[in-house]
Amino acid sequence: MTKDQTEEPKLVEHTVRTTLGPVAVSETGEGPVLVMLHGGGPGASAVANYHQNLPALAPRFRVLLPDQPGFGGSYRPTEADLDARSITEITVDALLQTLDTLGIDRFHLLGNSLGGAAAIATALEVPERVEKLVLMAPGGGWLPFGPTPTEGQKAMFRYYNGEGPTPKKMRDFIGVMTAEPKRWADTAQARYEASLDESHIAFYHAYNAAFAKRHGMDPLWQRVHRIKAPTLLLWGRDDRTITLDGAQLMLKQIRDVRLHVFGGCGHWVQLERRAEFERLVTDFLGEA
């Protein structure tokens, strides 16, 4: 491994004003633009989701890490906002306004879980702008055979219920998200601390209520056959949140698609299978 892949790259932070509210964006690196959308668990943010991958990706790409509405340093959609439009629709609107403000036209797009749903919706909304698409156990495009909500979705819903956030509840949540939870004690503590933000808690209650009213995420699976960008699907075999069985529809319906499954891996492939994830993403995006 080269020196520039082991050093923590310096992040430049922006606050982009959109018509919806401010969106926090961190960026690093040089090269083709890679937008990375994080998942939606309590305490999530873009840097928290992907910081460990930046030493490998920043030497090859200009990596943009936006906090999605409701998370990190970005604005918090209200219950009324979430009644009017889904979180996916809100995120796509905020993301495209952010990229327009930053003068970014074409880009690679990567999304995990909730961010995967936004990545699918963005690729459908502006197909001429998305060069390649990486989807990591994406919500919305996934059509499971088993019951929903899944074990992982239930863990997210109950995190803020009852007595509210506790270190044990976060450790339990990490235990459902990953195949080897004891490896991620530091991640659990950092996510717990981030989950205590009162505005994030208020957003999460509104988000959970909206999820229940809509009976789940946007049914993007109905439109995945319209995706034009070459697509890489990454999935943990032991994912208990967005389960592997739901990958089959996307694998069949997306025109230019490939699937890589990681054994002994849960919902967070970018963390649990870090080196393989980085190699697969870099190779895929670098292909002519």
Side-chain angles (χ1 to χ4, degrees):
M1 184 174 286
T2 62
K3 185 174 184 288
D4 62 1
Q5 288 177 302
T6 59
E7 292 181 346
E8 192 73 21
K10 182 178 180 180
L11 289 168
V12 177
E13 298 181 354
H14 312 276
T15 299
V16 177
R17 303 292 169 182
T18 74
T19 60
L20 306 177
V23 172
V25 182
S26 300
E27 78 167 90
T28 187
E30 297 181 357
V33 175
L34 171 58
V35 180
M36 303 181 73
L37 301 179
H38 61 82
S45 69
V47 173
N49 217 63
Y50 296 117
H51 69 90
Q52 68 279 345
N53 310 118
L54 298 181
L57 297 177
R60 297 170 174 84
F61 304 99
R62 178 187 174 189
V63 181
L64 292 184
L65 300 164
D67 290 337
Q68 294 172 73
F71 298 87
S74 292
Y75 84 101
R76 312 306 197 207
T78 64
E79 186 171 348
D81 294 333
L82 292 163
D83 283 340
R85 295 195 295 173
S86 72
I87 188 60
T88 299
E89 293 170 322
I90 291 169
T91 298
V92 172
D93 188 354
L95 175 63
L96 292 177
Q97 288 191 47
T98 298
L99 295 175
D100 289 345
T101 298
L102 295 175
I104 294 168
D105 182 24
R106 290 180 61 80
F107 50 91
H108 299 307
L109 184 57
L110 180 153
N112 168 228
S113 196
L114 181 69
I120 291 171
T122 301
L124 292 168
E125 180 78 15
V126 289
E128 72 283 358
R129 297 179 65 175
V130 178
E131 296 188 15
K132 289 187 178 181
L133 184 63
V134 180
L135 301 174
M136 305 149 59
W142 154 81
L143 188 63
F145 299 139
T148 57
T150 62
E151 183 181 358
Q153 289 172 328
K154 289 177 181 177
M156 286 191 284
F157 299 151
R158 67 174 172 258
Y159 182 79
Y160 284 117
N161 292 339
E163 75 274 30
T166 67
K168 181 182 183 304
K169 286 173 79 172
M170 182 55 76
R171 289 193 298 271
D172 291 344
F173 173 71
I174 300 292
V176 177
M177 292 295 114
T178 64
E180 299 177 86
K182 290 182 179 179
R183 293 178 59 193
W184 315 117
D186 290 346
T187 297
Q189 181 61 29
R191 286 288 292 264
Y192 166 68
E193 292 172 5
S195 77
L196 299 177
D197 179 88
E198 292 185 3
S199 66
H200 179 60
I201 294 172
F203 159 76
Y204 229 92
H205 284 305
Y207 169 58
N208 287 348
F211 189 95
K213 289 177 188 176
R214 294 176 182 274
H215 304 288
M217 300 193 70
D218 291 3
L220 296 167
W221 58 267
Q222 296 174 351
R223 297 188 286 141
V224 294
H225 64 282
R226 299 179 187 171
I227 292 174
K228 295 182 178 180
T231 301
L232 172 64
L233 301 175
L234 300 177
W235 231 287
R237 181 195 63 200
D238 306 307
D239 194 325
R240 291 182 278 166
T241 302
I242 306 293
T243 51
L244 177 60
D245 61 334
Q248 298 308 311
L249 183 136
M250 283 184 287
L251 191 60
K252 183 175 180 179
Q253 294 291 332
I254 299 174
R255 181 193 61 191
D256 184 351
V257 65
R258 66 190 74 174
L259 168 67
H260 187 94
V261 178
F262 301 83
C265 179
H267 191 52
W268 291 347
V269 300
Q270 79 281 2
L271 180 66
E272 297 177 79
R273 291 292 181 268
R274 173 181 171 180
E276 293 172 83
F277 163 80
E278 293 161 358
R279 176 179 57 79
L280 288 164
V281 169
T282 299
D283 289 349
F284 174 68
L285 297 183
E287 290 176 358

